[in-house]
Amino acid sequence: MIEYRNLRIALLGAGSVGAQVASLLLEHGEELANRSGAGLELVGVAVRDLDAPRSADIPRDLLTTDAESLILGADIVIELMGGLEPARTYILQALNSGADVITGNKALLATHGPELFDAAEQVGAQLYYEAAVAGAIPIIRPLRDSLAGDRIKRILGIVNGTTNFILDRMDTAGESLEAALATATELGYAEKSDPSADIEGFDAAQKTAILASLAFHTTVPLDSVYREGITSVTIEQVDAARKAGYVVKLLAICERMTDAVTGEEGVSARVYPALVPRSHPLAAVHGAKNAVFVEAEAAGDLMFYGAGAGGKETASAVLGDVVSAARRHVIGGPGVAESTHANLPILPISSVTTRYQITLRVIDEPGVLAAVATLFSGHGVSVETVEQSVAAPGRGDAAATATLVIGTHEASESDLSATVAALETSQVVSSVTSVLRVEGS
Ligand code: NDP
Ligand code: HSE
């Protein structure tokens, strides 16, 4: 057996992910040492409650409630507690003591990323976070390393498994949003007490901030990510989308684009439910799976697909970071700082251009179509397709009504919003029943 230098590993947290990391580190220690060129000694596991049940066996003498003492003297600290505090303080303590840090904490990175990356750079340590976006899927390292020589144009991601599960159930099983959410909760995808992090798009927005920062070498603060969740998506919209050859997906979109208003180049980071053509690879992402579709200038289109959550699955990404950190310790030298050299402006949602599909109920009378078309052209929005279906008047109805489904060419959000406002007050429109953006075509 080869004699390696020993690296001391401190693990903070032994929940869904942490317990699996501890178990795999203990079980595969020798193999991981051979891959890293260093012995990986798990010196302790910090938890809140020493007696809490664990999803994997962890020797009792490794458990401690004293995280601060555990961090002192560690070469590598793995933070899997979640939340902002005390995770932030512990990570800063670890970096300042010269340890490399591995985390899966997207909330923390999206909120305090620049502070943590600066702290790492100051002391020449490295902060690894492959598990923070899309669980087991390798996407951080491909963006940071493999694609570092290319220019990313756009990323479209399904990065929240819970909402993808819900929208998929609505599409494939015809369930309402409420029924699909209940199934997701029963299966343990959505939090029972508060599913809002998933269904309101907060989790996806955190991941979007991380991906956009990395892809465009720009600091993208969490509060600059435009966010809409899935709570207003109706089964009628999902059914209509299917009939029109689309599927509704909650997308994390990171895009390098030209400001529709000022002409300035910048970055757009946004999360919303959108219509995706059924022919697009993201349309085939079912259940709670995640996928990240990257459009790069030279590489073309790439798709990364797999499990976006799960204890063991996410532990795989964490252990990949452990091996990278251990190899860096063996080789020596300072860690590589995060690159934010481009520092592009972050564009507001009003400056984004995309295509839209708008569904209206109108009175079926001569001149109505022309009046609706005039409202679109009057606000600079070009109509690409129009489909009309007519319902015969019911008893008591004054006239037959028609449903118009209007697809637009690319238009700016501000022009589209002005058009929708005008439609809502128009004499010829009974109601605007749906406005959805179209992405991925
Ligand atoms: P859990 O809630 O299952 O586990 C959290 C662990 O941290 C528990 O063991 C808890 O101790 C411990 N802990 C919490 N606060 C403290 C504290 N103040 N001091 C010491 N220990 C503490 O979280 P997960 O394993 O699900 O997630 C961990 C991280 O990984 C999060 O940042 C999450 O966003 C991220 N992640 C999770 C994924 C998943 O599928 N679960 C996927 C991708 C990323 P105790 O057990 O005693 O209560
Ligand atoms: N709640 C997240 C999801 C888990 O549904 O994808 C991992 O971030």
Side-chain angles (χ1 to χ4, degrees), residues 13-17 46-49 54 80-82 86 104-106 131 309-310 314:
S16 309
V17 185
V47 292
R48 271 178 308 209
D49 176 1
R54 309 273 158 218
L80 291 168
M81 302 187 315
N105 195 333
K106 62 225 135 202
T314 308

Side-chain angles (χ1 to χ4, degrees), residues 106 159-163 189 198 203 207 290 308-309:
K106 62 225 135 202
V159 294
N160 183 270
T162 306
T163 47
Y189 294 131
D198 294 313
D203 173 77
K207 293 166 180 168
N290 282 196

Side-chain angles (χ1 to χ4, degrees), residues 165-175 238 242 278 286:
F165 176 86
I166 293 170
L167 293 172
D168 193 41
R169 290 286 287 204
M170 292 172 77
D171 181 42
T172 58
E175 285 183 0
V238 171
R242 187 182 326 101
R278 293 228 165 220
H286 295 290

Side-chain angles (χ1 to χ4, degrees), residues 41 61 118 153 187 265 299 360 393 428:
E41 185 193 357
D61 60 349
D118 280 355
K153 294 190 293 186
L187 292 172
E265 195 184 29
L360 310 171
V428 299

